Amino acid sequence: MRPVTEHDIRTSFVNCSKGEAKRLGLPKDLADQPWEDLDFLGWRDPGAPERAYLVAERDGRLVGISLRATTGGSRGFTSRSMCSLCLTTHPGGGVALMTARRTGEPGRQGNSVGQYLCTDLACSLYTRGRKQAAGDGVIVVEESLTPEEKAVRTRANLHSFLDKVTG
């Protein structure tokens, strides 16, 4: 991903108002991001932890989406969960259901799309082996794919999610 500025980020959002985009909390370490290892920039709002944001390049332009992380207890049916973008398995609370309001008329009617995502939105780093899932009960799934092939899969999953939000 190419480095982006605060202005780039704030003007990229497609599923929230300009006022909401203007008020959202940006990552404090924006200048220090490992841009060459990112398929998208994702972060949790430091002032509102239930809010998260994702900015990705799509068809030559930036697309930003506002997300809401579910709150409440952990999913009782399993002690581990898998991110639907990068397919990293996390124990406990390492994965959360995040919902994005759809764009256009469906969004104005209250329609949203949900996806299970890494709670820290560091999918690109997990994909490339730059970050490891932490906690008790971590299971590392060995794959025969190269890191680049995993990145291609992560981007395909990301684009599918973006299509659901914007389509």
Side-chain angles (χ1 to χ4, degrees):
M1 179 171 185
R2 67 177 169 86
V4 296
T5 65
E6 177 180 345
H7 179 264
D8 295 335
I9 292 170
R10 293 192 189 282
T11 58
S12 71
F13 284 91
V14 296
N15 70 337
C16 65
S17 71
K18 288 181 182 180
E20 290 171 313
K22 185 178 179 180
R23 292 186 301 272
L24 63 85
L26 294 173
K28 295 188 185 328
D29 60 348
L30 184 60
D32 300 326
Q33 292 293 318
W35 298 107
E36 64 281 351
D37 290 330
L38 296 182
D39 300 303
F40 64 89
L41 176 64
W43 73 99
R44 299 293 286 265
D45 191 322
E50 75 283 354
R51 293 181 191 221
Y53 307 99
L54 187 152
V55 176
E57 290 179 279
R58 186 76 200 266
D59 300 325
R61 68 181 189 97
L62 289 178
V63 176
I65 58 172
S66 173
L67 302 161
R68 288 237 179 221
T70 57
T71 58
S74 65
R75 296 165 55 193
F77 60 87
T78 183
S79 62
R80 288 179 279 289
S81 300
M82 181 181 284
C83 173
S84 59
L85 292 186
C86 65
L87 305 185
T88 300
T89 302
H90 294 272
V95 171
L97 176 62
M98 296 197 193
T99 59
R101 184 173 55 216
R102 294 192 61 206
T103 60
E105 187 59 29
R108 287 189 287 281
Q109 293 176 359
N111 294 334
S112 61
V113 177
Q115 197 91 25
Y116 285 99
L117 305 175
C118 295
T119 56
D120 60 3
L121 296 167
C123 300
S124 300
L125 302 180
Y126 293 118
T127 296
R128 289 167 175 79
R130 305 272 192 269
K131 190 170 184 177
Q132 300 296 318
D136 294 333
V138 172
I139 295 176
V140 178
V141 178
E142 294 297 327
E143 294 186 84
S144 60
L145 299 177
T146 67
E148 183 52 41
E149 290 169 327
K150 291 178 188 179
V152 168
R153 178 183 63 199
T154 297
R155 284 190 297 272
N157 292 339
L158 171 65
H159 291 169
S160 175
F161 179 52
L162 292 174
D163 289 344
K164 291 174 187 172
V165 173
T166 60

